[in-house]
Amino acid sequence: MSLGLEETRALEERYLMHTYRRGPVDFVRGEGVLLWDAEGKEYLDFLAGISVCSVGHCHPAVVAVVTEQSARLMHVSNLFYTEPMARLAQRLSESSLGGRVFFANSGTEANECAIKVARKHAHERGITAPEIVSFEGEFHGRSYGALAATPGLAKNEALGPMLPGFRSVPRNDAAALRAAVGENTAAVLIEPIQGEAGVYPTSEEALLAAREACDQSGALLIFDEIQTGMGRTGSLWAYQQTPVRPDVMTAAKALGGGVPIGACITAPVAADVLQPGDHGSTFAAGPVATAAALAVLDIVDDPGLLRRVRELGAELREGLEALDRVRETRGRGLMIGIGLEEGIDAAALGADLLCRGLVVNVPAPGTVRLLPPLVVDSDQIAKAVGLIGDSLAAVA
Ligand code: PLP
């Protein structure tokens, strides 16, 4: 018997730090695109744990490998070899930039590794005060390195002092980016599509400017693919649908199908920067998480599934754009931001949708974000569009 929402909420209120405003639901079970709460109410999940459960909740293949691996060997530390870790590194490298991989336990930590690679690479080029340049609106995580690279949150003086050596330029301002990259630049760190900001694709012009500026200065181009990677945009990695290839890339979220794991993946140019003693982690690359990630890659690294993601994304956007009070949709594949007409309270819409049984997210005023599992079907998309239309009519 579960405690139920009210008792769980009372425990949270008393014992957890108040860092989150949670929706008033106590989820107890998930299967594919569906979730159930403690009262047995069913929900259509168009958030997928913020793009983590991309293969759907409790995918049988992931459950099977996690069950088998955790019954056999859960953890030995990084002081020894384990096969799933090595196989996953090979698979990630060969499917992307071709260099070496460092495993972490989260997106934030994957970015910490990328920042270390960038700074050490810069020191090797004789730069004593390396700088990392990003676009405003980006989100790279909440540890101090990743936070310093997250311009909106780095302004929080109550958490200061921030790590030095980070600067930002306005989103998609190619000229400002070119001007900001100079002899002290270690890296340009960008999201190919800004997710937490409300799903804003970085323009091709800005991406090309970043690549060019890095090539001219010797800085590394780092893509944070923590939200955009693992098939979310209709290709295994979002950069594959752009004219630009980064030197370093970070992945997490959907990589483990619900099991925490992150990865910093390099091209050969940055593959040997970190050496023994430079970085490490007790938990990272454990056999359960890496076996889970291999099972997830078996599912999503499939041209048929990726084509379907692009088709379903187009279908979803077409349905949304036909609704009254939708100003625009943004994004790629099944990473979609809905820009609402002026005056519509997106938070109220999100709360109303949850009551109607549709899980979405409101990352910014006037914006709803949809990140459904990639295994969603057309009927579920039509149902979600219908619920959003009903809710818009009720809330407006
Ligand atoms: N980078 C991006 C683009 C993200 O969307 C997130 C999380 O939302 C992170 C980094 C941080 O990842 P994590 O929450 O796993 O530390």
Side-chain angles (χ1 to χ4, degrees):
M1 263 301 276
S2 67
L3 288 177
L5 177 61
E6 289 320 315
E7 272 190 66
T8 303
R9 204 184 219 173
L11 284 178
E12 139 114 28
E13 189 59 30
R14 167 69 182 84
Y15 292 108
L16 272 113
M17 288 195 196
H18 291 161
T19 54
Y20 279 99
R21 286 189 203 90
R22 300 181 208 278
V25 184
D26 173 19
F27 287 120
V28 294
R29 191 162 75 83
E31 190 183 317
V33 186
L34 301 178
L35 284 168
W36 288 269
D37 70 14
E39 271 79 54
K41 180 176 165 186
E42 186 180 291
Y43 296 78
L44 202 49
D45 184 7
F46 268 46
L47 183 58
I50 325 182
S51 197
V52 166
C53 305
S54 283
V55 295
H57 292 279
C58 303
H59 191 290
V62 179
V63 172
V65 296
V66 167
T67 306
E68 193 281 326
Q69 183 64 55
S70 56
R72 198 153 49 80
L73 182 71
M74 276 199 211
H75 180 82
V76 289
S77 88
N78 275 301
L79 303 181
F80 306 97
Y81 295 97
T82 49
E83 184 182 319
M85 157 178 28
R87 286 179 43 224
L88 181 62
Q90 176 188 25
R91 185 115 190 223
L92 288 174
S93 171
E94 288 181 352
S95 73
S96 63
L97 307 180
R100 298 182 194 280
V101 178
F102 178 86
F103 286 113
N105 307 290
S106 66
T108 298
E109 287 174 76
N111 283 336
E112 288 299 319
C113 177
I115 292 166
K116 272 195 182 176
V117 169
R119 285 183 159 190
K120 191 166 180 224
H121 181 258
H123 284 294
E124 285 167 0
R125 293 191 294 123
I127 297 172
T128 50
E131 264 190 2
I132 293 181
V133 183
S134 297
F135 283 120
E136 284 162 18
E138 282 177 18
F139 182 87
H140 297 297
R142 294 179 182 273
S143 58
Y144 273 99
L147 187 62
T150 298
L153 299 180
K155 288 190 194 113
N156 187 348
E157 285 175 8
L159 300 178
M162 288 292 150
L163 206 64
F166 291 82
R167 63 194 288 192
S168 58
V169 298
R171 175 193 292 148
N172 283 337
D173 189 336
L177 184 82
R178 274 194 208 94
V181 175
E183 57 184 21
N184 286 328
T185 308
V188 173
L189 165 58
I190 43 186
E191 291 178 77
I193 301 174
Q194 293 188 357
E196 296 304 295
V199 189
Y200 289 94
T202 304
S203 69
E204 279 199 5
E205 190 199 0
L207 295 176
L208 285 165
R211 182 66 275 175
E212 211 176 276
C214 286
D215 289 343
Q216 279 167 8
S217 67
L220 295 174
L221 179 60
I222 306 173
F223 274 11
D224 177 337
E225 291 240 21
I226 286 160
Q227 196 162 141
T228 55
M230 294 299 289
R232 173 57 56 194
T233 67
S235 46
L236 187 60
W237 309 110
Y239 83 82
Q240 292 165 329
Q241 290 180 72
T242 77
V244 164
R245 193 181 163 90
D247 303 309
V248 178
M249 184 179 90
T250 51
K253 285 196 183 279
L255 180 56
V259 181
I261 180 168
C264 176
I265 307 160
T266 59
V269 66
D272 295 311
V273 174
L274 295 188
Q275 291 296 319
D278 286 333
H279 206 30
S281 165
T282 296
F283 286 121
V288 178
T290 46
L294 283 164
V296 172
L297 274 163
D298 279 343
I299 300 161
V300 300
D301 191 7
D302 165 5
L305 179 132
L306 295 170
R307 184 176 1 95
R308 197 77 193 116
V309 169
R310 296 193 295 273
E311 288 166 2
L312 289 166
E315 208 172 293
L316 180 50
R317 285 178 72 169
E318 197 180 312
L320 293 167
E321 283 169 11
L323 296 178
D324 285 344
R325 303 176 186 90
V326 167
R327 187 172 45 81
E328 64 172 8
T329 64
R330 302 180 292 269
R332 202 170 295 136
L334 285 169
M335 179 172 181
I336 295 174
I338 311 173
L340 301 173
E341 278 177 4
E342 197 76 22
I344 297 177
D345 181 345
L349 185 76
D352 182 70
L353 282 169
L354 192 62
C355 291
R356 291 171 194 267
L358 181 69
V359 182
V360 302
N361 166 247
V362 177
T367 300
V368 172
R369 178 174 48 167
L370 304 181
L371 299 161
L374 308 183
V375 294
V376 67
D377 65 32
S378 284
D379 289 346
Q380 290 164 329
I381 282 182
K383 188 170 174 195
V385 170
L387 288 169
I388 293 169
D390 293 348
S391 186
L392 277 167
V395 164

